[in-house]
Amino acid sequence: MNEELSRYVVPLAQFDGLALQAEDPRRIASFWHHNLPDSRYDAARLRLDPSPLRARAEILRLLPTSRLASDPARVHVDIRLPGGDPTALLAAGATVVREPGTDPWWVLADPEGNQFCGFPSVDERPAGVFELVVKCRDAHSLAFWWGRVLGGAVAHEGEAAVVSGAPDFPWDYMVFDPVPEPRKGPNRLHWHLILRDSDPLELVKLGATVLRRPGEPMPCPTTDGHWMLADPEGNEFCAVPADRDIP
C-alpha cells in the first residue's frame, strides 16, 4: 500500500512536455507517434503535439544531435501497450531489451536505443504513456523535491516514491526508482517547465543548479528565453517564465 507523505498545493512550475535527443528526428518522431496516440508531428518545430483528446502537456520535442548521451534509460517513460504484447511496436522499429520475467513487463528500445517499459493491456485504459520514470540514488528525497516544484501528492512505494496529481502533469505518475549506480552523464530524455515566476530563483533556493542561462549557447533548437537547470541529483530540465512560449 502506498504511504502518502506530503501534498503540495502551490507549485513553483508546471510541467510542459518532454525533450528527447535524436540523431534522426523524423524517424524517431514517426516511431513515438505509436506511443502518443493521435499525436501530430510539426516538422518546423521538431515536436510531436498531442491530439485535442489528450493532455495539453503531452508534448515530445526532438533535439537533433550528432552524438547521443550514453545512458538511454536513466529517465524513461512507461507505456501501456495496445494489446497483450509489443508486436505492433516491434513492427514499427522497436527492439526487445528484456522480456517479462519476475517483472511482468517488457523493456523495449526505440530505433536509436532509447529504452522504455511496455506493460500489457489488462483493462480498458487507453494505450500510450502513463508514467515518467527517473532512476536515482535517493528516491524519497528526489520525489519530495519534485513534489514541491510541481505540486501534487508524494507517496512511498517501498524503496521507490511517486508524485501524483500535479497540475498539468499529463500522466498518472512521476516515479522515482532507486538504483545504486550514479549517473553516467547527461540524460537523453529531459522535461520542460513553465515557471510560476520570472526566473528560477525559488528552484535554485531549493537546490537546483543553473547549467545555462538565457542567451548562453545551448545545443538544442529552442528560444533564447530558456534556463537549463539540474535537480539535486543532476537531472537536466529546461525552464521558461510564464509569459514565454516553449517551442
Side-chain angles (χ1 to χ4, degrees):
M1 179 179 296
N2 295 355
E3 178 188 0
E4 184 172 315
L5 300 174
S6 187
R7 181 177 291 274
Y8 297 98
V9 295
V10 183
L12 299 176
Q14 68 186 65
F15 190 89
D16 198 55
L18 299 173
L20 177 65
Q21 292 183 349
E23 293 180 321
D24 186 342
R26 184 176 294 275
R27 182 186 186 198
I28 295 304
S30 177
F31 176 83
W32 280 97
H33 170 76
H34 293 274
N35 291 325
L36 299 169
D38 301 316
S39 57
R40 305 176 305 278
Y41 181 52
D42 185 333
R45 303 175 81 187
L46 293 176
R47 60 186 260 178
L48 282 164
D49 287 311
S51 78
L53 300 179
R54 304 287 293 190
R56 182 201 61 81
E58 193 176 60
I59 300 166
L60 180 64
R61 299 168 176 87
L62 285 308
L63 308 181
T65 183
S66 59
R67 185 176 182 179
L68 297 170
S70 60
D71 193 333
R74 188 81 178 186
V75 175
H76 65 272
V77 294
D78 288 349
I79 69 165
R80 294 189 187 98
L81 296 168
D85 61 56
T87 299
L89 292 181
L90 297 180
T95 55
V96 175
V97 177
R98 196 213 70 202
E99 295 185 350
T102 304
D103 297 320
W105 59 82
W106 282 265
V107 178
L108 305 169
D110 74 10
E112 291 189 353
N114 303 296
Q115 293 183 20
F116 60 99
C117 295
F119 288 71
S121 176
V122 294
D123 54 33
E124 298 303 315
R125 286 178 292 182
V129 177
F130 72 94
E131 60 188 17
L132 176 64
V133 180
V134 183
K135 295 181 181 180
C136 51
R137 300 296 296 276
D138 189 337
H140 295 169
S141 292
L142 201 59
F144 275 120
W145 197 87
W146 278 104
R148 178 67 187 92
V149 172
L150 294 176
V154 181
H156 285 178
E157 286 193 345
E159 294 183 353
V162 300
V163 176
S164 62
D168 296 292
F169 190 76
W171 305 302
D172 296 345
Y173 305 106
M174 189 173 187
V175 179
F176 299 88
D177 191 12
V179 293
E181 62 271 13
R183 292 174 76 246
K184 299 176 183 178
N187 298 323
R188 291 191 190 181
L189 182 67
H190 68 266
W191 51 92
H192 282 215
L193 303 182
I194 299 174
L195 298 169
R196 183 186 66 187
D197 301 322
S198 60
D199 60 48
L201 179 60
E202 291 302 315
L203 275 67
V204 173
K205 288 180 179 177
L206 283 180
T209 301
V210 175
L211 302 178
R212 180 262 187 194
R213 293 173 172 79
E216 296 176 353
M218 185 174 184
C220 68
T222 53
T223 62
D224 223 14
H226 282 70
W227 282 267
M228 175 65 82
L229 306 172
D231 70 16
E233 290 208 13
N235 298 296
E236 304 88 1
F237 61 97
C238 285
V240 297
D243 60 352
R244 295 187 66 94
D245 180 44
I246 299 180

